[in-house]
Amino acid sequence: MPRKVNPPPRGIWKQVARVQRLGLSGGMAGKGGPWLAVGIGAWGLQRLRSMAVKEDEILLREPLAPGETMTIRHQTTTRAEAAAEQKRLQREGKQLQQQAKAAEKAAKEARRRLSRAEKRQRAAQEAQAEAKASRRTRRRRS
């Protein structure tokens, strides 16, 4: 894996790096324990900063030959838009379920209201259609 290249520190962190360098070199050279403590403290600050900074994630690493191009696109829908779309689809699904339930209830009520003669006639029609379908399947099999 390639080694991570850190950019040179800027602003206050440039000063912290200098204090770290002077403190560690002075403490190791025998100028005293306080210098070593300052150097270690500055080193700790830099480590905390490096742990807190989010690193960019490398998704693709590929060499490009001369004349080749690479197109980088990003998703145009935001998380909020995707969540709103999902909620809308859920609402539509619930509405469709309610409509199907209402239609089923209406069909059941319509069947209940039929007279006995109409029920016999409907049962006969269904039996006739079923017999016709079974004859078709027998003809196809033979």
Side-chain angles (χ1 to χ4, degrees):
M1 181 160 196
R3 192 170 151 236
K4 180 180 165 187
V5 179
N6 290 331
R10 295 186 195 154
I12 188 78
W13 294 107
K14 187 174 186 177
Q15 300 303 318
V16 172
R18 184 170 185 229
V19 167
Q20 174 194 345
R21 188 177 63 250
L22 290 174
L24 289 177
S25 63
M28 294 295 199
K31 290 186 180 177
W35 277 107
L36 187 60
V38 167
I40 291 173
W43 177 82
L45 274 174
Q46 287 186 329
R47 297 296 78 77
L48 283 173
R49 176 181 174 242
S50 67
M51 285 189 282
V53 173
K54 180 185 175 198
E55 294 180 18
D56 292 337
E57 184 180 352
I58 297 173
L59 300 175
L60 176 70
R61 185 178 299 225
E62 193 173 312
L64 293 178
E68 289 185 334
T69 60
M70 181 182 293
T71 304
I72 300 173
R73 296 182 182 167
H74 62 88
Q75 188 176 1
T76 58
T77 56
T78 63
R79 289 181 183 161
E81 290 171 344
E85 180 68 15
Q86 188 175 9
K87 283 182 182 179
R88 186 186 65 79
L89 290 174
Q90 286 177 349
R91 273 190 310 238
E92 286 180 5
K94 285 181 182 179
Q95 288 175 350
L96 289 174
Q97 284 177 346
Q98 289 173 350
Q99 289 173 355
K101 194 173 183 180
E104 185 179 327
K105 188 176 181 181
K108 188 176 181 181
E109 183 66 24
R111 281 193 303 269
R112 190 182 64 79
R113 288 185 182 167
L114 292 175
S115 68
R116 286 185 183 169
E118 290 172 327
K119 287 180 182 177
R120 274 188 245 127
Q121 184 180 6
R122 179 175 266 186
Q125 287 174 348
E126 289 173 357
Q128 192 176 20
E130 192 175 312
K132 191 174 183 181
S134 66
R135 281 195 302 261
R136 284 184 188 155
T137 55
R138 275 189 256 145
R139 285 184 198 154
R140 289 180 188 160
R141 289 183 187 167
S142 55

